[in-house]
Structure formats: C-alpha cells, structure tokens
Amino acid sequence: MAKTIILKLKGLTQFWPPNDARDSATTCEMPTKRGVLRHIVAAAQGRSPDADISDLEKALLFGAAVCRIGEVVNWVDSDNILDGTEKEVLEWYIFYVALTCEDHFAEELAAELQNPQRDLSLGNPCVECTPDAPVFFSITDEPMVKALLDAVNADPIRHIHMEVEIEDPVSVEQLPLRSVKRTVK
C-alpha cells in the first residue's frame, strides 16, 4: 500500500534550477524532484547538502501543482552586489508537492518533515529561499493526482497546473486542469 505526503511550498522566493545545478542562473517554473528531495526531504532527515539522494529518487514518486503564479524576477545576492551576479527566482509562487511511497516510509518521512533536523530551503540554498510556514501539509491514502487536487482545491486561489510522475498510465486528460505534464515510469 502507498501513501502520499503533500507539501505546501510558499515563500517570498524559490529557486529550482534544472538538475539542481548550483551554478545555474535560471530556475524552472515548477519545483524539481531532485531539488525537493535534496533541499527539503534530505534536509529534514539531517543529510548534508551534498549527500547522495539516489535512494530517495528511487523510493518516491513526485508530483507538483502550481496554486499561485507569481513572477520570475532577477535576484542579486546582497553579499555579492558588486560582482553583478544575477539569478532568476520565482517570487510569490505557491506550490503543492506530492511524494508517494510505501506506507512505512511515508509515516517516517512525514514525522521528519514535521520536525526537520536541518533548515529547509525552497530550492537551491545559494538564494535566500526560506519557507514562510512549515512545508508539511498532510499525509493521505489517496493517489497522487487526487491528493494534489484536493490540496489545491482547499486553497482559495485554485489556479492549477500540474506535473506528475506516475507508475500506471492514467487518463489525466479528463481532470479539470488547465495543463498537465505526465511522466510514466
């Protein structure tokens, strides 16, 4: 049996570079699986920022939904203003993320996310991307897509764009979404 953990990612800025590349100047417009696993899940477990997360990548299916679209803006590190290094960041976005895994691991992970051992980051920590509130939202027996829809529908904004990683081909085209990207494993 599987459970789905829902995270709410809300903060002034978020930075999700492709492939979690620290030297990237651009951000993806959705949280990335590798970024969430490294900067939220592994951090909650107390792992170092450069720890191997391949076990998490194999154990967890990932989905993300945009609840509020903000702006993509250029950000300059206040410690390095003189060198002019800019990065794109997502400002004022709200995302819901679903992590689906086996029951026993989900329960353990939910506890770690509610009491993280390290500071969590909304993306690559070279940008000041601190969550505004605890990221753990809920844990459910519902399948990933339904769990994400329920979380977003409970939010008054209700703008939905989803990207999900699923094991079984499911007809997500019938869901009331503006856009869906599906990855079948």
Side-chain angles (χ1 to χ4, degrees), residues 31-44:
T32 62
K33 180 177 183 178
R34 182 173 284 227
V36 168
L37 295 182
R38 179 170 309 285
H39 304 296
I40 295 175
V41 176

Side-chain angles (χ1 to χ4, degrees), residues 3-173:
K3 287 192 180 287
T4 299
I5 296 169
I6 300 294
L7 307 176
K8 184 175 183 178
L9 308 184
K10 180 180 181 271
L12 173 59
T13 58
Q14 298 187 43
F15 181 64
W16 304 104
N19 299 316
D20 201 34
R22 285 184 179 261
D23 59 349
S24 177
T26 60
T27 185
C28 296
E29 291 187 26
M30 296 279 282
T32 62
K33 180 177 183 178
R34 182 173 284 227
V36 168
L37 295 182
R38 179 170 309 285
H39 304 296
I40 295 175
V41 176
Q45 294 178 328
R47 297 187 194 194
S48 69
D50 58 349
D52 178 22
I53 59 168
S54 60
D55 60 321
L56 296 174
E57 291 175 312
K58 290 176 190 170
L60 294 161
L61 291 178
F62 175 86
V66 178
C67 182
R68 178 174 70 192
I69 295 176
E71 295 184 58
V72 179
V73 298
N74 288 325
W75 179 86
V76 179
D77 183 350
S78 58
D79 294 332
N80 298 314
I81 287 177
L82 296 178
D83 75 7
T85 304
E86 290 186 358
K87 290 186 181 282
E88 282 182 351
V89 296
L90 303 176
E91 192 171 81
W92 298 115
Y93 274 71
I94 298 175
F95 299 102
Y96 285 91
V97 167
L99 303 170
T100 301
C101 59
E102 293 300 318
D103 284 359
H104 67 282
F105 184 50
E107 295 290 344
E108 179 182 309
L109 188 55
E112 292 168 339
L113 288 162
Q114 292 174 72
N115 189 22
Q117 294 182 31
R118 288 189 32 244
D119 289 337
L120 308 183
S121 174
L122 299 176
N124 196 311
C126 65
V127 177
E128 296 164 11
C129 299
T130 306
D132 285 352
V135 298
F136 179 83
F137 186 75
S138 66
I139 184 168
T140 180
D141 292 327
E142 296 292 343
M144 181 185 295
V145 173
K146 181 166 183 351
L148 274 173
L149 283 173
D150 289 349
V152 174
N153 282 328
D155 199 297
I157 306 281
R158 292 191 188 138
H159 172 85
I160 304 172
H161 168 92
M162 290 176 107
E163 294 185 13
V164 296
E165 178 182 65
I166 56 178
E167 287 186 344
D168 299 316
V170 175
S171 180
V172 292
E173 289 80 13

